[in-house]
Amino acid sequence: MNDAIAAATRRNQVKSERPSIFGKSLAARKMRFGLLFAAPAFIFFGLFYVYPLFRTFYVSLFSWSLLDEPRFIGVTNYVNLSNDKEFINSIGVSFYYAIGVCVAIWVIALALALMFNQTFRFRQAYLSVYYLPAVISLTVWSLVWLFMYNPSFGLFSEFARWLGFTNVRMLDNPQTAMPAMILLSIWKGTPVYMLIYLAGLRAIPGDYYEAAKVDGASALQRLWHITLPLLRPVFLYVVVISIIGAFQAFTPMYLLTNGGPGSATRVLSMFIFQNGFQFLKMGYASAASVIFLLILLVFSIVQFRILRFQQQD
Amino acid sequence: MKTRFYTLFALLIVGAMLLSACTMPAAAPTGGGAAPAASGQTIELLYMTHNHAQSIPVNEAIIAEFEAAHPNVKITFDNAPHSNFEQKVLTAFAGGTGPDVFWMGDWMIPQLVKNGIVAPVDPTAFGVQTQEEFADLFEPGSLDAFTVDGKIYTGGVSEYNTFSLIYDKDDFAEAGIEPLSKETPITWEELADIAAKLTKKDGDKVVRIGLEWPFQTPIWTVLIQEPMLRQLGGELINPETGMPDFTQEPMVKVMEYVQGLRNAGAIDPALDQNLLDDLANDRVSILIAGPWAAKPLNDINPDLNWDTAPLPQFANAVDRVTTLYAWAWFVSGKSSPEKQKAAWEFVNLLTSKQQEWWDKVGYVQARKADINGMTLPEYYAQADARLATIFADYPYGKFEFRSPQYFELSDIWTRAQDRVLQGEDVMTVLQEAQAQAEQAVSQ
Amino acid sequence: MLRNAQRTLLSLLAQLGILAGAVVISVPALYMVSASLMSSQDFFAAQVKLLPSSLYLQNYVEVFSVFNFGNYLKNSFIVTGAVVLLNLIFTPMVGYSLAKFDFPGKTLLLLFVLATIMIPFTAILIPLFLIIRSFGWVNSYPGLVMPFAMSAFGVFLMRQFILAVPDDYIDAGRIDGASELRIYFQIVVPLIQPALITLAIVVFVASWDEFLWMLIVTTGDALRTLPVGLAKFVEQYRTRYELMMAGSVVAAAPVVLLFLAVQRRFLQGMAGLSGLK
């Protein structure tokens, strides 16, 4: 307890002692260098992404069909969104999809990475095979699965039939349509995160493991006390990025079921796309984008808090 | 520290929004450069079409011909993938790089005309003086969808379509069903029976389905269901109130019919892959499709023994109704006067190539022609006698409902169809669809 | 003796498991290759088909001769090559500064980066297009490349990896009197090699598969990339699936080759930092 207070006090002291940027001290020199290295990013992200983002905030206060003059309507879009059952539904559907895909990826990708971190015969060849789903474009991947899910002629349905299930109609059934999307997304998404975990594992100094072995730690103990804590920054990345990526995905839903059956797979990003570019309600879509952003922001802040914003240990 | 940060952030947001306000494009969709070209200088036109593979060489040949005859005009040809075509055109207009000449479907007319995106036709480019004379150049009724407040907003239809039945005669023979009459339409009820009989199963696996159409594409839902609705005397947009009405009696009947098709096993939404390939490879027996199907079917499978029949009508139909839809050439109203003039002349050339459009692309044209002494319908009929049946359906055709919210309403309609096909109660589904439709129209 | 047998049995089972996993994982990809070798009749035959009845190479011929895939391939290489190069230069720089330095505006930049990751692209498509247009970059290579010159995902990834680099190594460099730039290039960069390779792969694939922006910013086919080419197989009344499968094999091949080329480096990577003094 006292340690925590002491650490916090030290942190505050360090913050308030931040030197002037024009100083001659090492700290000041470091500050100038950090700013220099970061400067291109300020300009780049500010110009290409943050500025358009503010424009989106702005447009959300208007009614705009892309073809006409925007008309100022204040917060009407937000009010309408709160009454829009399709919008509420799409948020729920997106959550369902995101949780389903991400939790599976967090676990499977880590397991695979741990496996590939060992040496074994044909490891390189296997790694290429396990990475395969990632190299195929998402559109084509989705269409391949469209065929695999065909109730009569699809591989998936044939396989189900071989296992004894009949009448397997994944995409036609509101209960199974989203699980079908989740499955194909896990299949496609896992390899990339496996690589990221693997890169993280590679960066853990071998000495630590050696020392632990000398101390008599078992494999499981090494995993729990060395690997996982040291993987924490990478794990934060995987968690945050996978959730955001899952919310943004809509190609599979668009191609396989067009949001159906009914609205069972109409995710939030698809709602935004449809309203903006099909229904010609760009202001409405922008308002939905703002809410989308807020949801992800809240999610990310929570994850940062849980997994610790700054590397402390 | 935190409060300082958040204040800074808030200030930034406000500042940037003020900045945005000053530079908002206020949707000044200029056609690919509204700057008027001085006479004698090159006029650059941007021509956008969607991607229909066979149409590309035809378009390119016509462009070359036009450029040769008009040395001061340069045409850039942009064909975007069909599935993203509308998005591409809309973004181009919103971003100030809109096309000068482009294809677009008739259902976009309310939005296009309302916002001045399309210009009224310039008859002089077609060699006539008035709008009436221009209309006379085309089949009667073909320009109806493009006429708003008496003004015609297109230079001509690029493909003019109705839907009829196209079916596999061998499948019919195999099932012991008589070929369909070419003069008298069967009833929808009869179609349901026939299609159910034609479905072939292997255990629980459906190996061939009786009838198919793209169930997830909103425009198809409208093209298939609207004639049914109108045959029963209904109309999606109530002519008196101007509001959509999903709960009207005819709509209930249509949805119940579609649900019945599913229950009888005549259709199966999850099975369909590729309309034409499915028929050609014996995965389906009957299609509801247009004249554009003829050429591809023969290309995919020359052995296919297909035939046509008129679009079915309900037994107690109030009127015989079929559908009509068209893609057409438009000239941007946002382009400069010089560009528009050149554009109309270009469209004139495009619409006068009726023979190429049919022979190489399979698109039915509406501009009257004289090909070796034959009128267009005669020419098409001698190309393939089966098409005569489809052409007989045109006079009963009506274009889709007009609404600025066409896309949203057709999407609601499709989702309702989805749910009905899942077996949900028709009335409940339609009531919820009605609530959504009212919300959509009122915004 | 028993323990040895147990271990061998376990290892055998493990090997079988990995093999089985590999087979299952590659089923969709194998199906795609198989479909690319089928004629449309084969593909739509009213039966389940895993293998083509005969090798039909016509799809590949058509994809290149009729559908202009040579051009798309060329453009994809140019655009993706440029994007990967720019990212490899700038992204680690930014990640390093965010991970190891404290400067005014640091949290703001991190927020910029996170906001960029979270924005749905459809929402900023038009404002971004207007900006590119104001630079005169519509239908030009800079217009295709510049919005992706720095990947926000990449910056975040670099930050997380560099956070894991022990400060001692960096401080040691400072004590030795090395300049900040030297420290970056000679200490930090070698230490994050696996991360850099991962970055290159991830950015490559993302750029290679980018569709919407490539469509919107280009006018005409001259500069279009593979994803746009693939989308063209979805025609008005018919989708040429068999051609699309062939096209996607063509599109996937360079990515596979790239991965094969770098993965050895990746796996060797930094087998622990123990060798560094």
Side-chain angles (χ1 to χ4, degrees), chain A residues 143-161:
Chain A
L143 288 173
V144 168
W145 279 84
L146 175 63
F147 282 95
M148 301 212 334
Y149 282 136
N150 186 301
S152 291
F153 310 113
L155 287 181
F156 186 87
S157 314
E158 271 299 296
F159 179 66
R161 229 169 263 134

Side-chain angles (χ1 to χ4, degrees), chain C residues 17-61:
Chain C
I18 297 177
L19 182 62
V23 169
V24 169
I25 292 242
S26 35
V27 163
L30 290 174
Y31 183 52
M32 179 184 88
V33 174
S34 171
S36 73
L37 294 166
M38 294 186 195
S39 64
S40 80
Q41 255 156 315
D42 240 359
F43 192 66
F44 285 100
Q47 38 172 292
V48 181
K49 274 202 153 210
L50 271 172
L51 295 169
S53 35
S54 60
L55 281 183
Y56 186 74
L57 293 171
Q58 188 59 23
N59 291 336
Y60 287 93
V61 174

Side-chain angles (χ1 to χ4, degrees), chain A residues 68 86 152 167 169 172 281, chain B residues 27 204 206 268 415 422 443:
Chain A
D68 63 357
E86 282 294 317
S152 291
N167 236 330
R169 311 174 59 90
D172 198 27
K281 289 157 74 173
Chain B
D204 75 298
V206 176
D268 190 341
R415 274 183 272 136
Q422 289 295 322
Q443 277 174 5

